[in-house]
Structures are given as C-alpha cells and as structure tokens.
Amino acid sequence: MNPAHPATRSHLVVVGGGMVAHRLVDALLQRQGADASWQVTVLAEEPRAPYDRMALTSYFSGRDPDDLQLGDPALWSDPRVTLHRGDPVTAIDRVATTVSTASGREHSYDALVLATGSSAFVPPVDGRDLPGCFVYRTIDDVAALRAYVEELRDRPVARGRRGGETALAGAVVGGGLLGLEAAGALRALGVDSHVVEFAPRLMPLQVDEGGGEGLRRLVQKLGVHVHTSTATARLHAGPDGRVRRMDFADGGRLDVRVVVFAAGVRPRDELARACGLPVGERGGVVVDDTCRTEDPKVWAVGEVACIGGRTLGLVAPGYSMAEVVADRLLGGTATFPGADLSTKLKLLGVDVASFGDAAGETAGALPVVYADPVAGVYKKLVLSDDARTLLGGLLVGDASAYAALRPLLGRPLGGDPAAWLLPEGVAGGPSGDLPDDAAVCSCNNVSAGTVRGAVRGAVAAGGGCDLAAVKAGTKAGTSCGSCLPLVKKLMTAELVSAGVGVSRALCEHFDISRAELFEVARVTGVRTFSELVARHGRGRGCDICKPVVASVLASLGAGHVLDGEQATLQDTNDHVLANIQKDGTYSVVPRIPGGEVTPAGLIAIGAVAVEFGLYTKITGAQRIDLLGARLEQLPEIWRRLVDAGFESGHAYGKAVRTVKSCVGSTWCRYGVQDSVGLAVALELRYRGLRAPHKLKLGVSGCARECAEARSKDVGVIATDKGWNVYVGGNGGFSPRHARLLAEDLDTDTLVRTIDRFLIYYVRTADRLQRTAAWLEEIEGGLEHVRAVVLADSLGIAGDLDAAMEAHVAGYADEWRDALEDPVKLRRFTTFVNAPGTPDPDLVPPARHVGETTVRHDGGDPDGAVLHTRVALEVVPR
Amino acid sequence: MTPTTDHAVVSWVPVCRYDDLEVERGVAALVEGTQVAVFRLADGTVRAVDHHDPFSGANVIARGIVGSRGDVPTVASPMYKHVFDLRTGACLDDPSTALRVYPVRVSGGVVAVRAAAGTG
C-alpha cells in the first residue's frame, strides 16, 4: 500500500469509452495493483460510462440504461482513473504527444490507446437520411428508434392508409447478426418486421447455406418476413416528409414507416488517418501482434484495430487485445493470440452458434451435418480429415452443445460425432474431462484449469464454493454468461473429486433439498414433522430442518403456525410471533399495508408504546417497530393493537413482509397510477404467505420510482399503459436490482403474474434463498420463470393459481387467533413456575436519541426526567 | 453471573407438571434464583441446563429449537444458533464453552429441578 504519487505516474489516454476501453482500464488497474504506475484518462464520446453494447436489445425490455452497466461502477471513482463523458477527441498531435477534445481540453499522454470502435455503415441508398431511418449501435440510437415508433403508434393517423389497426411495418437493411437483433427489437415494439439481405441467406458471414435455410424458417415462424438476394434501391418519403416506402432493385416495393440500417460497421479510424498513422486496405488502424501502431506510443484495440490485415467485429478478440495492451504497458511480453471468432447468440429467440472453421475451409475437412427442417434445427461439425479432431461447427436452432464443444476446438472430439448433433446427444457431455488449458469463457479468456483452481482454492480455504464465488473469483461467465452451465458442471465435478460434494441435502436429518421436501409433503399429504423425518429423514431434526418444515407446512395451508407439533418447529420469532432482540426482548411490528396509516392508528400505536414503555422507530419498510417488549407482555400489547384494528405484520417470519409504496397519483403531480391502492391490495392479498426467505414488494406510481420497487423481490412500476413488474431485487448484504419480468400489464394480469411468481418461488427455492439467488440458480433462469409464469410452459399455472387462491381464502391473523387460544397464550410465560415475573436481568428499553426532558400528558407525579442519549448539546428554541 | 448455591443444602424445586411440557420445546424456570431451561425430549426424558446463553449474554436457551446431532440430543440457542448437548451442556460448536446442567426428577407427574449444578 504505497501508491506512487500521481505526479510520478505515467499518463495513459484512452480514446473511446466502449466495452474494450472498459476492459483495458479494468485489466490495467487489476494488474498494477495499488502500486500504480499509470494514471488513466478515458475520453468517451457517449454521455455515459461504458456499457454492454451486446445487450442493447434488452434495453427495449428493460428501458433502464443502468441494466447495461459493465462491471463494478467503482472503477470510475478510482483515483487512478478519470472518465470524461460526452467529450470526443477531435485531434491527435503525435509530435507534442497530446490529444484535444471537442470541449477544447488538451491532454498530454505517455501512451495513447485508440479504442474508438466502429460506426454503423449506411449504404449509399437514396433517401437514407429521411426521418424514420435509423442505425443500431448505441443506447441513444435505440432510444431514438423506440421513441419514434412509440410516437407513430400513438398517433391515430399512423395506423395505415386505410385507417384500421394495420400494424406498422418496418424494414431492417442487413440480415446479419446486428440486422436480426434489430428485427427482434422492432418486433418487440409491435412493428411488422422485414429483413432485407443482399446475400442469398441470412447471416452470410457465419452460416452456410443449410444453416441459413434453417435460420430462415425459424425467423419466419416468428412472424418476421425475410427477403434474401434483395438489394434496396431507394427510399421514398410520404406527404409528412417521413420515410414511407422502400423500393427494391428487382422492382419490388414495401410500405414501411421505419427503416433500420444494420448492414455492417466501419472502423472509426478517422483520428488515426488525420495524424498520419497507417490504416488497412478496408480501414482500421494497422497494429502489430502487440496491438502497437508504427508509433511506439500509440496503440489500437477492438474494432478499430486492423490486426493481421483485418478488423474484427466481435467483443472477445477486442478483450484479448485489451489484455495484451495492459500487459505490455506494464512491461509484459503478451501477444495477440489470434482471433477466436466463435459466437453464440440468441437472435429473435433463436439460438445460433458458430465456432472455429465453421465453413469447413481447412483442406480435407469433413463436415458432419444434422438437419431437421421441421424443427428448424441445423447442426454441423467440421472435423479433420481423419474424422477425429474438431475444427469447427455451426449450430442453428439448438446451440445447447456449444459451451461443451467450443473448448474442444483443435482437440480430439472423442466418440461418435453424431452423438453431439442428435437432440439428446449432449447428455453428460465431456465437461469433467476438459483439459486444464481449454478456454471455458471466451469473453474473459478463462480456462477450465482456472475454474478448477478457484474451486480448489475455496475448498482449501475451508469456505463454501458456489457459482457466484467462482464467477467473482475468475470472471468466468460475467460477460455474456453463455458458459455458465459449463462452469457449473466443472465446479460440481471439482467439488465431487475434492470430496466436498455438492449435496443438496438440507442438513444431516434430510438428504433432500427444501424444494424436494416441499414436493414430498405436497404429494404425500404428510403434515407433521415427526412423520416426515421418520419416513424421509433421520434423527430428531435441528434448527435448520425444523423451521423449513414449519415453513413448508405453513405454505401448504396446514393451519396456525402454533398448532400442536408445528409450534415446536418454529424458531423463537415465529414461536412468539415477534422478533427477538439482543437482550432477549422482542420487537412488535403491526401490519401497515402499503405504509398507509390513519391518524387514529398512529395514536393507538403511540398509546401502546407509552403504556408498555417501548422504544419506537420507523422501519425501512414503512412501518413502526415497537422494541423492548418482554415475552410475557406480548399478548397484552397485541390485545390492544388488535382492538385498535391492527394485525400481525409477520416481521418475525420468513414471509411476505410489506408492500412499500409512494404516494401515487392521488397526491403526486407526477403519479400516473394509484400506487397506494395497488400496494394495499397486494399486501392484503399476500399477507401471511410464508416463503423460503422474507419477501418484500414495492409499488411506484411512475418511473421516478420513489418506492424503490426495483430493490424488492417483486417491484411494480406504473406506466401510462399499465404496470411493469420487476423481480429478484433486494437490499441487504448483496444488493440486487430487480429485473423486468413483464411490461404494461393490466391490474388483473399483474396480480395473476405475481401470484404465480410467488408460489413458484415458494415451491422451488432453497432454504434462505431470496428471489435473486433463486433466479440465478434455477435452470433456465429468468427466461424459464417468465415462460412458466406468463406462458404456462410447464402446464402448472392452474395449480399455482389455485395455491394462491387457497392462501388468500385461508388467511387469518395469527395474533388474533393466538389471543383467543389459552393453550397458545401459555407459551408467553417467562418462567413456568413464576408466571408474571419478568426476567430480572433485563434493563428498561433504551431511550430515544432525541428524547430530552419530557413529561407526557398525565405523566407520572414525580415528573420523571428521562435520560437523553444525545451526545450533542440540545439547544432549546 | 447467576449465583450458585452448591455449597449450601439444596433441595428439589418443583417447577411444573410433566404434562405441561411440550415435546421438544423448552420452558424457563426460576430455581432458587437461577434461571434454568427445562426440556422434554421425544423419548420422554427431561433435561435441564442454564437458561443463560453464554455467547449472547441473554436468558434465552429455553426458547431454542430442540433436535439431535448424531445421537446427541441438542438445543440451538435462538440468538446466534450455537448448539448445546442437552445431556452434558457442552457447546458442540465451541468446546471451550458449556452450559451447566441441573439434576431433574419426575415424580407424581411433577418435574423438579435441583439448583446445584452438575458438572458439564
């Protein structure tokens, strides 16, 4: 910890703020540690920090640019890094070793890295500048496209010449990766989409004729029109001056209201040209295999670099270049290992993967092809002439084998190649046998050996090892995530061989997981712990499995949590329906649905707190915590609260806690929906629902999001068309932002969606697994859950709905029931042989920080002076 | 600390009826000034240990979850979940710490505890 003084550091200027620039800075900082030798300035054209451009299409569903954030944002507050956004470099002076920017700033450099990327190529078609023509490259491009289409949709005159509900038509020029992405984005906006491709097939650079045909079928099945071997001749404007028609070279035409150019990219090499650096024949700054230009102080990385005579339009080689430059800047000897042009994408929901020599150009290469035109599946493996070594492959429609196959490139495939191509062919896979040097994560260049090492390290350190830890430790799976299933398999195999195992066993008493236990109880109808442990476990249980069984039984509607044997399974909190505090007293939290409380309710709570001498505090969930209640006081406290109309808030349970809300459209001048009304309705619907962990919900009345709904397990945000629902957020130790589950739902659909989401979570999550971790661990992730909840992909929606209806119908206030049952009330005794005697070791509750000399109305006759804990002098006004 | 009276003459203190004890759930009792946690196990035996949790300093052991670890009958403190052997009082998670155990007698349907702590 002895960082070099900034003035003694060399200065690196990075031109461009894209994904590769981000990787370079991140890699440099990580490699040089605290003893920094480089001070870094990043000059970005876009008005934001680097983001995940590959996930651009998700911006259509997520809307929130923060979702695309790359890596840890703390990078940009590191004192060794300065990021200037929205200030592009306009010139490089290689003699003075300075760059100047649009704002007029000048920065001198000791090393300069060009990471300017590419710009969208717009073919020279007449009318390409008309309003309604877009490119697809940045967040701003996508936002503008979205705004334009939404505006067209909202104008009644925009609904086609015949004035009916004709869908808006749109065309994408270019049928490659980006074109299909753009078509998917248009389709998501409700646009009737056409893809216009000059070549005879889609994705001509990646797939062969057979693959292109499979792709065409799949894409057409999704309702996207495909025009191959078609050239765009010109675009015509309508009477409003906006684009209205597309003419093809073959005389055909198409009525379109929006056009997206996705016909390829061109390197942004204009700065290099202007300062006299050599550029490639087809553009790009010429660099050697260390990414250095002919000027030893200037480097180029990513899509702007022309390396080995060509530019590379994929992020993985860009990341490799960034790592090479970071290494070289620190005196290393790394060289560019050659481009790995493997890609795996989900375009319009269609899996496409290509790797290695997919076209089979190697001499003597043998293709092995499997094609199922009906299912739209096309798979090809390219093998060496002895049919043993894997040279490349192409997978369309089903790319599940990609993660296992790609690391085998250049290695013996082993076994019958057909086994890899047939639908069930990947069962088991070779993951456990991958050589240590095989790359598992190509985005971050992580080898199988690195993953195994991370697992072994975690085991040796005596700690647990899960996927999140491996991701954090190795960076594997942190970019595109496509290798995560493979990483998980490797981790599992390594844990098993280390003798640790990845037992799903709940504890020593049950060999099955919580989800399995839930199914056992649900299917067999067994409703007591004793019978469950006798039939499906061993021993007498413990503080892990007993509360789990109690929670499962509660979710299955097995009656009051303190009925019979169930009571003995409960953690002390559920056992006394309050939250234990450090001194053995409890806190009391009445339910305040949606955070809405009447003045009379507030007075009632205040009166109880005064009577019992409780400490009061507003909680983070818009409720009031009454602290310092002794065990034997709880029933009397609750008798008063229940009489005042309050009920249990379940703050003590792994259960639905609250639905937080903003004030909504009733009061707020910005609110677009009644968030309080919905929050109250949701809280009354879900109150008492027990779950593997606590559950929090939130409802915001507009996009300003004052209820912080996206930090909740279920967050609802009003739109002008309905409600967006987000899932998997939480605060706490590892805060998570909730992710979009569905958009613009009406209230009934919203409620049904949340019903299903919650019940599915309750049934299938692990013990103490919050929704965020559950979504990460469950096979298929958020996509799977969305399919189950919205499209009933498992055929269980009716069952989930019935379970929630049963919960709603069966709800009863636990405290009211307890107060009416002498058997339950007996538990609220501190000493069995001295009822009414409090724990003599307890001291009175802490005083409020702000409490000074106070006499309550009708206060005690001594005029008791309460002590203050205020450390600062309180000055009376 | 809770005073012990092992040098004095100690007698059996009745604390509750056997039938008042729930299976595998504790109660606390005041036995000559000492807070004792009393448990009825699934096999019918009754055990008594300190109610005072040495880790949190709170009197809460009787409110813990009863179960087993291997063949050992246990209680887990509700505060920081330390698990104790109900037969010996030993903390299974931290061998340097133990609860005191108290002799228990059931006669005539009444559970009695002797305040003199046994050795843990």
Side-chain angles (χ1 to χ4, degrees):
Chain A
M1 298 300 283
N2 184 22
H5 188 272
T8 68
R9 292 181 199 158
S10 305
H11 188 213
L12 168 68
V13 171
V14 180
V15 186
M19 298 174 77
V20 173
H22 172 264
R23 168 56 66 92
L24 171 64
V25 177
D26 194 35
L28 187 66
L29 258 55
Q30 291 221 351
R31 284 167 191 249
Q32 70 180 4
D35 189 20
S37 53
W38 287 95
Q39 184 72 28
V40 185
T41 300
V42 178
L43 301 169
E45 181 176 57
E46 289 189 65
R48 46 181 62 88
Y51 56 89
D52 185 357
R53 206 181 295 282
M54 289 163 73
L56 206 50
T57 304
S58 73
Y59 175 64
F60 274 95
S61 43
R63 285 176 192 247
D64 186 349
D66 288 350
D67 290 354
L68 303 182
Q69 179 180 292
L70 274 177
D72 186 348
L75 181 66
W76 306 115
S77 43
D78 190 299
R80 295 164 291 175
V81 180
T82 312
L83 169 67
H84 294 281
R85 310 163 205 222
D87 194 14
V89 171
T90 51
I92 299 169
D93 183 338
R94 291 203 281 135
V95 177
T97 63
T98 59
V99 299
S100 39
T101 68
S103 70
R105 283 203 189 91
E106 205 173 86
H107 303 268
S108 65
Y109 63 82
D110 298 301
L112 180 70
V113 176
L114 301 173
T116 43
S118 341
S119 55
F121 167 65
V122 178
V125 174
D126 272 356
R128 61 183 172 165
D129 296 328
L130 289 173
C133 293
F134 294 87
V135 294
Y136 198 85
R137 185 75 193 155
T138 66
I139 284 186
D140 289 338
D141 294 337
V142 174
L145 172 61
R146 181 182 186 120
Y148 186 81
V149 170
E150 284 180 342
E151 187 247 349
L152 275 184
R153 258 197 330 222
D154 291 344
R155 292 193 329 168
V157 291
R159 309 216 166 183
R161 270 182 230 157
R162 289 171 289 279
E165 289 290 315
T166 322
L168 285 173
V172 176
V173 179
L177 292 178
L178 206 57
L180 293 181
E181 282 243 31
L186 279 183
R187 182 168 163 270
L189 289 172
V191 174
D192 187 29
S193 310
H194 295 256
V195 172
V196 182
E197 168 58 49
F198 181 71
R201 61 176 183 273
L202 294 173
M203 290 181 66
L205 295 181
Q206 287 84 12
V207 312
D208 60 11
E209 209 179 312
E213 204 43 47
L215 198 54
R216 171 202 291 272
R217 282 172 199 277
L218 288 169
V219 167
Q220 282 177 337
K221 217 189 290 184
L222 294 165
V224 174
H225 312 277
V226 177
H227 310 264
T228 48
S229 300
T230 304
T232 305
R234 61 174 295 154
L235 299 167
H236 298 275
D240 58 358
R242 300 170 178 220
V243 70
R244 184 62 65 85
R245 201 182 86 202
M246 175 181 269
D247 287 352
F248 299 138
D250 64 5
R253 57 164 58 170
L254 207 55
D255 282 341
V256 290
R257 307 298 303 266
V258 58
V259 173
V260 180
F261 288 103
V265 294
R266 292 292 179 265
R268 296 276 305 271
D269 56 13
E270 60 271 17
L271 286 171
R273 287 175 192 268
C275 70
L277 285 170
V279 295
E281 206 173 301
R282 305 178 60 184
V285 184
V286 173
V287 295
D288 60 17
D289 66 354
T290 70
C291 299
R292 203 189 285 249
T293 68
E294 68 166 29
D295 181 334
K297 286 191 170 180
V298 184
W299 315 68
V301 293
E303 295 185 355
V304 75
C306 176
I307 191 163
R310 61 173 175 168
T311 54
L312 300 163
L314 293 170
V315 74
Y319 281 172
S320 298
M321 294 182 219
E323 296 281 350
V324 167
V325 173
D327 182 73
R328 289 270 166 180
L329 288 173
L330 297 172
T333 57
T335 54
F336 185 62
D340 176 357
L341 299 180
S342 302
T343 37
K344 177 177 183 257
L345 295 146
K346 205 178 192 68
L347 296 164
L348 289 157
V350 178
D351 283 325
V352 179
S354 110
F355 53 96
D357 179 14
E361 289 163 346
T362 310
L366 295 174
V368 181
V369 174
Y370 168 85
D372 178 352
V374 180
V377 173
Y378 178 88
K379 305 182 197 178
K380 178 171 81 172
L381 295 186
V382 178
L383 302 174
S384 58
D385 52 4
D386 60 358
R388 297 177 66 139
T389 304
L390 181 67
L391 299 178
L394 171 65
L395 306 166
V396 175
D398 170 16
S400 54
Y402 171 78
L405 279 170
R406 210 198 59 79
L408 292 175
L409 263 184
R411 300 168 192 278
L413 189 55
D416 180 1
W420 288 97
L421 300 178
L422 297 172
E424 300 300 319
V426 291
S431 56
D433 308 313
L434 275 182
D436 271 348
D437 62 339
V440 174
C441 170
S442 52
C443 299
N444 297 297
N445 196 24
V446 182
S447 69
T450 305
V451 170
R452 291 188 179 116
V455 176
R456 280 194 299 269
V459 170
C465 182
D466 57 11
L467 196 55
V470 174
K471 282 170 71 176
T474 65
K475 289 200 166 184
T478 53
S479 293
C480 79
S482 70
C483 64
L484 280 177
L486 184 61
V487 173
K488 196 171 173 183
K489 275 188 191 173
L490 282 171
M491 179 187 81
T492 306
E494 196 60 29
L495 285 173
V496 168
S497 76
V500 178
V502 276
S503 169
R504 310 259 308 152
L506 194 54
C507 60
E508 69 171 72
H509 307 100
F510 287 97
D511 291 336
I512 55 180
S513 69
R514 180 197 172 277
E516 288 162 330
L517 195 59
F518 193 104
E519 281 309 295
V520 165
R522 192 170 74 87
V523 173
T524 61
V526 173
R527 291 295 182 270
T528 67
F529 176 81
S530 290
E531 198 181 344
L532 274 173
V533 79
R535 283 170 58 170
H536 304 282
R538 67 185 70 84
R540 285 308 306 169
C542 63
D543 59 318
I544 291 172
C545 60
K546 280 186 166 177
V548 164
V549 170
S551 165
V552 166
L553 295 178
S555 299
L556 289 170
H560 196 284
V561 293
L562 300 184
D563 276 344
E565 190 200 51
Q566 266 196 72
T568 69
L569 309 179
Q570 307 291 356
D571 184 61
T572 186
N573 286 2
D574 281 289
H575 194 248
V576 303
L577 310 175
N579 282 41
I580 197 166
Q581 303 299 320
K582 59 189 277 187
D583 60 352
T585 65
Y586 291 86
S587 77
V588 169
V589 185
R591 184 169 298 290
I592 298 181
E596 184 189 64
V597 59
T598 62
L602 282 174
I603 290 166
I605 290 175
V608 168
V610 169
E611 179 177 352
F612 291 89
L614 304 176
Y615 173 93
T616 48
K617 187 173 187 308
I618 306 295
T619 73
Q622 300 188 334
R623 320 205 267 192
I624 298 169
D625 211 345
L626 303 163
L627 290 122
R630 300 191 306 268
L631 180 62
E632 73 278 3
Q633 291 178 315
L634 289 171
E636 282 317 304
I637 289 170
W638 269 104
R639 207 176 293 284
R640 283 163 182 69
L641 289 171
V642 168
D643 286 346
F646 288 100
E647 58 179 13
S648 166
H650 291 96
Y652 46 81
K654 305 296 179 211
V656 167
R657 297 282 175 84
T658 65
V659 185
K660 185 175 179 175
S661 68
C662 63
V663 294
S665 56
T666 310
W667 293 93
C668 178
R669 65 208 151 110
Y670 300 115
V672 295
Q673 303 261 17
D674 177 14
S675 53
V676 180
L678 181 73
V680 171
L682 291 178
E683 187 158 338
L684 295 182
R685 184 172 181 80
Y686 301 128
R687 62 186 166 182
L689 181 71
R690 282 189 155 72
H693 209 308
K694 65 183 170 186
L695 278 167
K696 293 184 171 185
L697 291 79
V699 181
S700 277
C702 79
R704 283 173 179 75
E705 242 285 69
C706 296
E708 296 164 332
R710 290 195 66 194
S711 66
K712 308 298 178 206
D713 295 282
V714 177
V716 179
I717 301 176
T719 71
D720 47 6
K721 303 185 197 69
W723 306 98
N724 286 355
V725 57
Y726 298 81
V727 292
N730 57 245
F733 189 70
S734 326
R736 303 284 181 87
H737 227 173
R739 292 185 286 160
L740 186 77
L741 180 69
E743 270 187 297
D744 294 333
L745 303 179
D746 61 57
T747 305
D748 287 347
T749 312
L750 172 78
V751 170
R752 197 183 64 221
T753 302
I754 301 175
D755 284 359
R756 291 176 181 175
F757 176 82
L758 291 178
I759 296 288
Y760 192 47
Y761 163 69
V762 165
R763 288 189 173 182
T764 59
D766 269 341
R767 165 184 175 266
L768 297 186
Q769 186 176 45
R770 286 197 75 172
T771 53
W774 172 66
L775 286 168
E776 192 159 300
E777 285 288 318
I778 197 168
E779 198 81 25
L782 179 63
E783 287 298 323
H784 163 76
V785 172
R786 181 182 288 129
V788 170
V789 168
L790 296 176
D792 193 15
S793 61
L794 294 182
I796 59 169
D799 194 30
L800 299 178
D801 292 344
M804 185 58 87
E805 286 309 325
H807 165 75
V808 173
Y811 170 81
D813 175 21
E814 285 169 358
W815 261 111
R816 177 183 288 274
D817 289 353
L819 290 173
E820 289 166 359
D821 182 347
V823 176
K824 294 190 176 77
L825 286 179
R826 276 215 327 239
R827 300 202 176 95
F828 297 90
T829 306
T830 297
F831 297 115
V832 66
N833 59 344
T837 304
D839 178 349
D841 293 346
L842 287 177
V843 296
R847 291 296 155 201
H848 298 86
V849 175
E851 221 164 8
T852 56
T853 309
V854 173
R855 262 190 82 167
H856 293 295
D857 276 344
D860 58 297
D862 320 330
V865 174
L866 304 180
H867 296 290
T868 175
R869 292 196 297 145
V870 177
L872 302 169
E873 189 186 2
V874 176
V875 183
R877 290 185 210 206
Chain B
M1 284 291 104
T2 319
T4 54
T5 52
D6 48 359
H7 59 280
V9 178
V10 290
S11 55
W12 291 99
V13 177
V15 294
C16 64
R17 291 187 301 124
Y18 180 75
D19 291 345
D20 289 339
L21 292 174
E22 281 183 280
V23 176
E24 297 190 333
R25 195 81 206 189
V27 298
L30 268 178
V31 180
E32 295 182 346
T34 302
Q35 298 196 22
V36 177
V38 182
F39 301 90
R40 171 176 164 183
L41 304 183
D43 65 5
T45 55
V46 179
R47 301 283 180 180
V49 297
D50 278 332
H51 187 38
H52 184 83
D53 173 8
F55 294 98
S56 65
N59 301 313
V60 292
I61 292 294
R63 303 177 206 163
I65 288 177
V66 177
S68 64
R69 186 176 283 188
D71 295 328
V72 179
T74 58
V75 62
S77 165
M79 202 65 81
Y80 301 121
K81 317 297 181 195
H82 294 93
V83 173
F84 299 93
D85 184 338
L86 280 174
R87 300 169 311 185
T88 66
C91 177
L92 300 179
D93 302 320
D94 180 352
S96 68
T97 307
L99 303 176
R100 288 172 298 186
V101 295
Y102 300 86
V104 180
R105 183 177 74 183
V106 182
S107 75
V110 172
V111 178
V113 175
R114 210 166 55 188
T119 50

